[in-house]
Amino acid sequence: MVPLNSSMVSVEHDRARDRVRHARLFNGVVNFSVYGSADSFYYGIYFTKVKLGTPPKEFNLQIDTGSELTWVSSKSCPSCPRSSRFGIELSHYDVAASSTSKVIPCSDKSCTAITLGDATRCSIDGQYCGYVMKYLDESATSGFYVADTFHFESVSSNSTTLNASAGILFGVSTYRSGMLAETETAVDGIFGFGKQKLSVLSQLYYKGITPRVFSHCLKGGGTGGGVFVLGEVLAPGMVYTPLVPWQPHYSVHLENIVINGKLLPVDPKTFTPSADYATVLDTGTTFSYFVSEAYDLFVGAVSNNPFPILRTLVLLLYFSYVHWTFICRLFPLVSLNFAGGASLSLKPEEYLFLSNVSKDGTTWCIGFQKAQGQTILGDLVLKDKIFVYDLVRQRIGWVKYDCSSSVNISVPNDDFFYLKQSSSGSSSRGLLVQLLTVAIVTLFFSV
């Protein structure tokens, strides 16, 4: 038997040692500038600039909280776009050009630890550990895994900007299909920030470099922009809703929808989280999606306006386009209400999107689409707000904000480097297995 006071001293000693280690490893929060916008008339996506390899090479990557794998186009990819309508110069990753690159062979034990469902596989000749990723829009990419140096700037507590780097695992795409192969919205790849162990957030967290929280503020107006932070952004008026713990994505419980003060008569069971369903926040999606039961009622309620001419125009929105000027002022306010009492209010310009501008007027469309089985909140809803993804406290927070303004970034305390323990034995065992797997992977891929 160990005396209680002795045990407490040991715990405090270990935590103190860890604090020293974290002070040595953690330089501050990592800050990325954001480009692009939710407006499909201009961009339709948000992306940032990422430096990989030695010497560092810059890549434009779409910010995606809906997937975990970060990948870039290979120099030898025949289906990867060579130009983009965004006016950016596309880059391609060359393993041979980086002195710190390491292709992951199939023979390595870490290859079996890298799992993306059934998407991880070995090459036919067994030389490299490959992957196949398919997205909801039917686009896809495949390639192989590489470990290389990720370069970034971190901001310390005294606002000093420091250059830092870490070894991370990412994919190198040798094939792209669907929208990923088109020049219309082409960038160099995807910056995966999902919840799972392969995301950049998880890899840097398990190395003790960044806290297990990140934030974004995506500017909606004009040509967009904003900020993406590996850390917590603070602002007055933040509201929070719990994360659904068993979901692989950033999923929350949408309880109901209120339009102009009236509750939309959707069966509450429609939104109740289950093993397969919850409301997902996804920066990799431009529009937002309601399940069919809610979508039909939503369109009907938006169309139910006392002005007969306006009602006719809105009904046309259900099927195609409609022209008007300043008409969105007459559309109702929408409130999405979540578990924990958190509400997200949407002005018309946050559920309508600009499609075209001409001398005859402005073309707008409803930005919510009908989905099968999954409600997804994309950039149209996420823009012009600070969103905080707090995996330590297991919650999502938000507040309306001018994303062209500076943001207040919290310096994380020691708690952000500790995982929340589950009271469930099975959950704890699952977490232990995940931690051990990630530890093996990150140790192997350290540069």
Side-chain angles (χ1 to χ4, degrees):
M1 297 292 292
V2 179
L4 179 60
N5 60 348
S6 214
S7 176
M8 291 175 65
V9 169
S10 176
V11 169
E12 286 306 313
H13 176 270
D14 290 341
R15 286 176 66 89
R17 179 196 63 199
D18 287 346
R19 278 193 291 270
V20 172
R21 176 177 181 271
H22 293 153
R24 184 172 66 249
L25 290 175
F26 180 69
N27 292 320
V29 293
V30 182
N31 184 13
F32 298 92
S33 295
V34 173
Y35 307 87
S37 73
D39 192 339
S40 58
F41 186 65
Y42 292 102
Y43 288 95
I45 66 169
Y46 288 96
F47 60 97
T48 190
K49 297 182 183 296
V50 173
K51 293 181 179 179
L52 299 169
T54 306
K57 187 173 183 178
E58 191 171 76
F59 298 87
N60 292 289
L61 303 184
Q62 181 180 2
I63 299 167
D64 187 8
T65 60
S67 64
E68 61 172 310
L69 178 65
T70 292
W71 59 266
V72 294
S73 296
S74 168
K75 180 183 177 181
S76 60
C77 174
S79 57
C80 294
R82 303 293 167 174
S83 62
S84 172
R85 77 172 177 91
F86 296 155
I88 57 175
E89 183 178 348
L90 297 182
S91 298
H92 297 84
Y93 182 82
D94 183 0
V95 173
S98 174
S99 63
T100 50
S101 68
K102 178 182 174 68
V103 177
I104 309 306
C106 257
S107 58
D108 197 280
K109 293 180 180 179
S110 59
C111 185
T112 58
I114 306 166
T115 55
L116 286 171
D118 297 325
T120 301
R121 60 183 63 182
C122 288
S123 60
I124 296 175
D125 56 9
Q127 291 184 357
Y128 59 81
C129 186
Y131 71 90
V132 175
M133 279 291 296
K134 296 180 180 179
Y135 298 91
L136 290 177
D137 62 0
E138 302 300 322
S139 60
T141 176
S142 59
F144 56 92
Y145 289 106
V146 165
D148 207 343
T149 304
F150 170 48
H151 303 267
F152 51 90
E153 291 183 346
S154 61
V155 183
S156 64
S157 57
N158 61 2
S159 299
T160 303
T161 301
L162 305 170
N163 292 322
S165 63
I168 66 166
L169 172 73
F170 56 93
V172 179
S173 175
T174 56
Y175 174 78
R176 290 164 68 166
S177 64
M179 292 188 68
L180 290 175
E182 298 175 1
T183 60
E184 187 70 12
T185 56
V187 287
D188 298 321
I190 286 180
F191 205 21
F193 265 82
K195 283 176 63 179
Q196 306 305 303
K197 58 179 177 279
L198 279 181
S199 74
V200 173
L201 177 72
S202 295
Q203 291 190 58
L204 295 182
Y205 164 73
Y206 285 113
K207 289 175 180 289
I209 296 172
T210 60
R212 208 163 184 240
V213 57
F214 71 95
S215 314
H216 59 67
C217 194
L218 308 175
K219 187 175 181 296
T223 56
V227 65
F228 187 83
V229 176
L230 303 194
E232 183 180 18
V233 172
L234 302 177
M238 292 283 294
V239 296
Y240 298 91
T241 189
L243 278 166
V244 178
W246 60 82
Q247 286 283 333
H249 303 292
Y250 297 108
S251 302
V252 291
H253 181 189
L254 173 64
E255 293 184 331
N256 58 65
I257 303 169
V258 174
I259 298 180
N260 258 2
K262 295 182 179 180
L263 183 68
L264 205 64
V266 182
D267 185 344
K269 293 180 181 178
T270 301
F271 297 129
T272 301
S274 65
D276 302 317
Y277 171 83
T279 297
V280 176
L281 279 67
D282 182 9
T283 61
T285 300
T286 302
F287 303 117
S288 293
Y289 297 81
F290 278 146
V291 290
S292 57
E293 297 89 334
Y295 177 80
D296 293 335
L297 289 169
F298 174 78
V299 171
V302 169
S303 304
N304 188 19
N305 195 287
F307 301 101
I309 296 177
L310 179 59
R311 182 174 180 179
T312 301
L313 290 173
V314 178
L315 285 172
L316 288 174
L317 278 174
Y318 186 80
F319 302 104
S320 58
Y321 298 135
V322 65
H323 294 268
W324 76 87
T325 302
F326 304 121
I327 208 167
C328 67
R329 295 179 183 177
L330 302 176
F331 278 81
L333 292 175
V334 174
S335 292
L336 306 180
N337 300 313
F338 297 86
S343 182
L344 181 59
S345 60
L346 303 178
K347 296 181 291 185
E349 56 267 35
E350 293 171 304
Y351 63 81
L352 303 173
F353 71 93
L354 178 64
S355 176
N356 189 27
V357 177
S358 69
K359 63 180 180 180
D360 298 321
T362 304
T363 303
W364 294 78
C365 298
I366 289 181
F368 276 89
Q369 309 292 313
K370 185 182 291 189
Q372 298 297 324
Q374 191 83 337
T375 293
I376 300 173
L377 303 182
D379 294 337
L380 193 66
V381 169
L382 303 180
K383 66 182 175 66
D384 297 321
K385 305 168 189 72
I386 292 172
F387 270 86
V388 176
Y389 301 70
D390 186 344
L391 295 179
V392 175
R393 300 186 182 99
Q394 288 293 296
R395 64 183 186 176
I396 298 285
W398 62 81
V399 67
K400 288 186 181 292
Y401 199 80
D402 178 3
C403 295
S404 61
S405 304
S406 59
V407 295
N408 181 24
I409 303 173
S410 170
V411 176
N413 58 39
D414 191 53
D415 292 338
F416 276 100
F417 290 92
Y418 289 89
L419 290 171
K420 216 172 188 180
Q421 284 191 334
S422 169
S423 58
S424 165
S426 60
S427 297
S428 298
R429 285 192 297 273
L431 179 60
L432 179 60
V433 171
Q434 178 174 325
L435 284 172
L436 288 173
T437 302
V438 174
I440 294 169
V441 174
T442 53
L443 283 172
F444 178 82
F445 294 124
S446 295
V447 176

